[in-house]
Amino acid sequence: MTTIDHVLSTGAVRSVYQPIVDLRSGAVVAYEALARGPRGGDLERPDALFAAARAADRLADLDEACRAAAFRGAVRHGLFAPQALFVNVEPEVLDSAPLDDLLAIAQAAPGDLRVVLEITERALAARPAELLRTVARVRELGWRVALDDVGADPLSLAFMPLLQPDVVKLDLRLVQRRPGPAVAQIMNAVNAYAEATGALVLAEGIEDEKHLVMARALGARLGQGWLFGRPADGPAPALEAAEIALPATVPGDEAASSSPFALLPAGTELRRAPKSLLIEVSKQLEREAMRLGDTCVVASTFQEARHFTPATAVRYRDLVDRTGFVCALGEGLGDQPVPGLRGADLDPRDPVRGEWDVVVLSPHFSAALLARDLGDTGPDARRVFEYALTYRRDTVVAAARSFLSRVAPRAAAPVAAAVAERPAVPAPAPAPAPAAVGATTGEALLQQALAATTSGVTISDMTRPDQPLVYVNQAFERLSGFRAEEVLGRNCRFLQGEDTDRAAVAAVRDAIAEGREHRALLLNHRGPQREPWWNEVLLSPVRDASGRVVQYIGVQDDVTDRVLAQRALEQEQHRTRTYLEQLEDLAHHDPLTGLPNRRRVEERAEAALWDARLSGSAVALLFCDLDAFKAVNDELGHAAGDELLVAVARRLRSVVRRGDLVARLGGDEFLVVLPGLDPAGAAAHAERVAAELVRAAAEPLLVAGRRLSPAVTVGVAVGPADGEGFGRLLHRADQRMYAAKPAARRVEAGG
């Protein structure tokens, strides 16, 4: 079995080169150097190679060897200008990468090596200050910068304007999967950045013509993938070579040596305000950041730790949950004021110590409150600051870079040691063996059980910043879609997504804060493809001898089938209820006019009459008959008759009060019920309504191309004066309607 030490000591690391083409011309404009181990060995694949280096704490050595192999191979194969060479740097070694040594190799080459250094989004949140320093060093060397895997994590969109990459590499899933809202969001942000800066957009994973069409649609100028050529030991001789059109070089950035307030442009209008106003403006910017979501960066300074109050901590916990990256600086504040919040302990001499600043930056929004303390010694809320509220993107970006250049790096995750130091739980290795050397029989059995169970098991270290995972079993690797080395050291919130129920997440967070057991059902996302799955998780605290919670054990099961079956059942029940309600509605309403039918109006009228007997009020029934309706049917057809009935029904409803009822009894007969009338004036009121019904119905209208003025005859009965039951009152109103109907009344017709 080959060891990483042997690979490094023998110089067995090598590079293969994959072509990058101009999508308009098809010419090769660059090659990406990809690391490989010894041919045919168990460390040939890059994932195995880098996993072994991490396990042996030799990642920096491997990273250096990979870039040296890339440069030497490029020189050997003549990969010089006008083409470019893309090489990678690992996030964990950003601040110590020996780039100067590589520059010497490039300068000694017989041709001009045009280098583009690729930085993955994994570096963004972990080591922002080191990332900015590395980018500055790369610029000083005359090299260019590419941001890799954009779109795999929304955070890459938030950091894109801060890194100012020359090339934006779209994650392969953007061209290989069906477009959706997330793809549109990435496309908008990347194209806006490219338009503003001239950066090139490069689409990875182009394997067929469909992928090529999608890449072009996304705005990519460059492409990479098997459609153009697989990684090989040297250049692709069959493809034409051309020059890569990189944008103009980015000017040097002085933000790291300045405070955010000092970056305000000359001539900026400054105002003065008490701190109480600045706090409210800060809260408004925080609310805006939460609206922007996980593509947003938030950076703040609080001067001193005492200004970061418990109420502030609650707000910033919400910001951590709902935005991409949040940092807060202050003297004595520490590198993680609350879980997930990145920080830094400001030196009292740092100019930022004398400021109150809040910066919010996302792909399509930028704002910054930049304030300078004037040294007032009165009550804290009344202390006066000099400030500016700016939306200038270049100023906001510079201020954000100033903040991030001060953020402390996130601590690495010494996994095995972290678990072993906690006596409350036996310390399984990341990939449990059947029996660990030197382990007790109980520990060996425990490791075998954890490896064999179909439930995902995780252990989180609650004593360390951001409560990282320090153990996962094989079942969790299958559930999450990631290998252990990809998740250890990360908070398990990486499983969540925009569609994860925030209330469920908040309940988990509250339970952990209180140190109690909790069971939750969460919508999680599996693997790089972000496939949704439902996770039923039981979280159990582990305490040390003093009672302090030092770890949380999570037992997780994929219950997607159960949840989907339950939801399907609920949907079917909803459809059944809806169908029954529709049937009920049809049973009580006239399908043509939508009015209640005779059955429904009788029920409602009887209820109104019963209420009238109890309250001493009166109810009027108005029997309405549409005159000469048969003539309309005979002359214009039944469709025209239906159209006339609908129009008359609409006009009758327009006359009555909200609590009155209009119904269709059948044919050309309608009934209006007026409940809750004063008995003394009920008859007169009913006659006035009847007259209004006749007038409203008679308004001219076009039916089947004919101008008609419908005539309605109305008969009125009032209870209890004309009777107490619905049937008696309806009969009396019907009689009066016929008595009032002229023998020869017709619907007037004109041209």
Side-chain angles (χ1 to χ4, degrees):
M1 178 177 176
T2 306
T3 66
I4 188 64
D5 292 332
H6 178 75
V7 170
L8 294 172
S9 64
T10 59
V13 175
R14 59 192 176 90
S15 285
V16 292
Y17 299 89
Q18 185 171 37
I20 296 172
V21 305
D22 186 318
L23 295 184
R24 295 172 300 180
S25 66
V28 178
V29 295
Y31 286 90
E32 180 178 2
L34 304 172
R36 296 291 186 269
R39 297 180 190 276
D42 50 0
L43 296 184
E44 180 178 10
R45 288 172 42 121
D47 53 349
L49 186 65
F50 279 86
R54 286 189 181 90
D57 196 23
R58 299 206 61 183
L59 188 60
D61 297 328
L62 175 61
D63 190 64
E64 179 184 0
C66 289
R67 281 196 302 280
F71 276 46
R72 293 192 179 98
V75 171
R76 184 169 62 255
H77 295 296
L79 301 181
F80 302 124
Q83 296 173 315
L85 177 67
F86 284 61
V87 295
N88 292 275
V89 61
E90 278 298 306
E92 293 94 325
V93 298
L94 275 173
D95 204 32
S96 59
L99 303 182
D100 295 337
D101 293 344
L102 300 180
L103 178 62
I105 299 175
Q107 291 174 336
D112 180 19
L113 277 177
R114 303 180 65 183
V115 181
V116 179
L117 195 69
E118 292 191 31
I119 299 174
T120 66
E121 60 187 9
R122 288 181 293 128
L124 302 181
R127 308 178 74 83
E130 290 83 352
L131 177 62
L132 294 178
R133 285 196 291 271
T134 298
V135 168
R137 293 168 63 204
V138 166
R139 302 282 188 206
E140 291 171 1
L141 295 175
W143 297 355
R144 300 302 189 92
V145 173
L147 180 58
D148 198 11
D149 297 335
V150 171
D153 190 310
L155 191 58
S156 59
L157 301 181
F159 272 78
M160 193 162 52
L162 298 171
L163 297 178
Q164 298 179 296
D166 304 285
V167 180
V168 177
K169 297 189 69 175
L170 300 179
D171 184 72
L172 58 86
R173 284 165 295 183
L174 298 181
V175 300
Q176 293 183 358
R177 68 184 180 187
R178 184 185 299 274
V183 174
Q185 179 189 44
I186 296 163
M187 176 184 174
N188 287 342
V190 169
N191 280 272
Y193 173 77
E195 182 179 6
T197 64
L200 297 178
V201 179
L202 190 162
E204 297 183 293
I206 301 176
E207 298 179 0
D208 55 37
E209 291 295 332
K210 290 182 179 179
H211 296 163
L212 178 59
V213 170
M214 177 60 73
R216 287 171 171 157
L218 290 171
R221 290 272 303 278
L222 306 178
Q224 181 179 2
W226 290 356
L227 182 63
F228 311 115
R230 300 199 177 202
D233 289 334
L239 298 176
E240 177 187 354
E243 183 174 4
I244 188 169
L246 292 168
T249 55
V250 178
D253 178 46
E254 303 299 329
S257 60
S258 301
S259 71
F261 185 87
L263 293 169
L264 286 168
T268 300
E269 180 183 357
L270 299 177
R271 306 172 188 174
R272 294 194 175 191
K275 183 179 175 182
S276 57
L277 174 61
L278 300 186
I279 290 174
E280 294 306 316
V281 176
S282 301
K283 291 178 180 178
Q284 175 57 35
L285 289 176
E286 293 165 11
R287 289 191 289 269
E288 185 67 25
M290 285 194 281
R291 184 187 67 80
L292 294 167
D294 54 9
T295 62
C296 182
V297 169
V298 183
S300 305
T301 179
F302 292 90
Q303 297 189 294
E304 303 174 56
R306 63 187 177 90
H307 298 312
F308 194 81
T309 65
T312 306
V314 170
R315 298 201 316 272
Y316 271 72
R317 284 179 62 180
D318 289 338
L319 282 169
V320 167
D321 285 341
R322 297 174 61 179
T323 63
F325 179 89
V326 192
C327 65
L329 283 61
E331 183 182 349
L333 201 56
D335 59 3
Q336 188 155 211
V338 298
L341 175 62
R342 305 298 298 282
D345 185 0
L346 288 178
D347 189 292
R349 297 166 295 180
D350 192 317
V352 178
R353 169 64 177 76
E355 297 181 9
W356 183 279
D357 305 319
V358 179
V359 173
V360 175
L361 178 65
S362 75
H364 304 295
F365 179 86
S366 55
L369 169 66
L370 305 177
R372 180 171 58 189
D373 194 337
L374 295 179
D376 285 359
T377 57
D380 189 64
R382 298 181 186 175
R383 289 194 298 121
V384 175
F385 285 71
E386 191 172 43
Y387 80 97
L389 182 61
T390 180
Y391 299 90
R392 289 185 48 157
R393 190 165 184 82
D394 56 347
T395 303
V396 176
V397 168
R401 289 170 66 88
S402 174
F403 272 117
L404 266 64
S405 69
R406 293 168 164 84
V407 171
R410 187 163 60 195
V415 177
V419 177
E421 290 170 0
R422 305 288 178 251
V425 173
V437 176
T440 66
T441 302
E443 289 174 341
L445 289 174
L446 175 59
Q447 291 177 3
Q448 291 181 22
L450 289 172
T453 181
T454 58
S455 296
V457 178
T458 61
I459 301 176
S460 298
D461 188 344
M462 309 308 293
T463 68
R464 292 169 53 197
D466 207 27
Q467 302 163 356
L469 294 171
V470 295
Y471 170 79
V472 298
N473 69 344
Q474 294 173 3
F476 180 81
E477 292 182 288
R478 292 190 294 270
L479 289 177
S480 69
F482 291 100
R483 297 186 303 276
E485 59 265 24
E486 296 177 290
V487 301
L488 294 173
R490 300 173 65 183
N491 186 287
C492 60
R493 73 170 68 90
F494 75 89
L495 292 172
Q496 300 167 16
E498 293 181 358
D499 44 0
T500 303
D501 184 0
R502 293 299 168 191
V505 173
V508 169
R509 187 177 62 196
D510 292 343
I512 291 174
E514 297 169 11
R516 54 183 169 82
E517 185 176 279
H518 183 71
R519 186 181 295 276
L521 181 64
L522 298 171
L523 181 60
N524 287 161
H525 296 79
R526 179 179 290 115
Q529 292 76 28
R530 304 297 289 166
E531 173 194 358
W533 62 286
W534 286 96
N535 182 7
E536 186 175 62
V537 55
L538 174 63
L539 300 170
S540 301
V542 177
R543 303 178 185 274
D544 63 11
S546 67
R548 181 180 63 141
V549 175
V550 293
Q551 293 171 336
Y552 252 94
I553 297 177
V555 180
Q556 316 188 41
D557 290 287
D558 186 343
V559 294
T560 304
D561 291 343
R562 189 188 77 193
V563 172
L564 294 181
Q566 178 64 30
R567 293 196 167 188
L569 177 60
E570 292 172 354
Q571 291 173 356
E572 184 61 31
Q573 291 173 338
H574 174 72
R575 284 193 292 267
T576 301
R577 287 195 301 270
T578 302
Y579 177 68
L580 293 175
E581 290 168 359
Q582 291 172 343
L583 289 179
E584 179 73 10
D585 187 68
L586 289 173
H588 291 89
H589 287 80
D590 171 43
L592 176 63
T593 64
L595 295 176
N597 59 15
R598 184 185 185 102
R599 177 181 174 186
R600 173 62 77 186
V601 74
E602 182 174 356
E603 294 173 352
R604 296 279 299 276
E606 288 285 11
L609 290 167
W610 179 261
D611 289 341
R613 285 193 290 272
L614 294 176
S615 63
S617 60
V619 177
L621 269 59
L622 284 64
F623 196 114
C624 307
D625 184 79
L626 181 58
D627 299 335
F629 175 66
K630 184 177 183 301
V632 174
N633 272 342
D634 292 343
E635 295 177 21
L636 302 179
H638 288 283
D642 289 348
E643 185 179 349
L644 177 60
L645 289 171
V646 171
V648 170
R650 184 167 55 248
R651 291 177 175 187
L652 297 180
R653 280 186 296 192
S654 70
V655 172
V656 299
R657 303 170 301 177
R658 182 182 296 274
D660 298 337
L661 179 67
V662 180
R664 184 185 178 199
L665 296 178
D668 56 359
E669 297 176 340
F670 298 86
L671 184 67
V672 177
V673 180
L674 309 178
L677 302 178
D678 181 3
H685 176 76
E687 292 294 343
R688 287 195 298 272
V689 174
E692 186 64 21
L693 293 172
V694 172
R695 184 201 63 76
E699 291 288 334
L701 78 159
L702 286 176
V703 175
R706 295 283 298 277
R707 183 179 177 83
L708 305 179
S709 295
V712 171
T713 302
V714 182
V716 178
V718 179
D722 293 321
E724 293 190 348
F726 172 75
R728 182 173 179 80
L729 285 174
L730 182 64
H731 179 67
R732 182 62 60 87
D734 187 19
Q735 287 180 323
R736 290 174 178 171
M737 183 274 296
Y738 273 104
K741 183 185 288 288
R745 178 178 289 180
R746 296 174 58 89
V747 174
E748 298 179 7

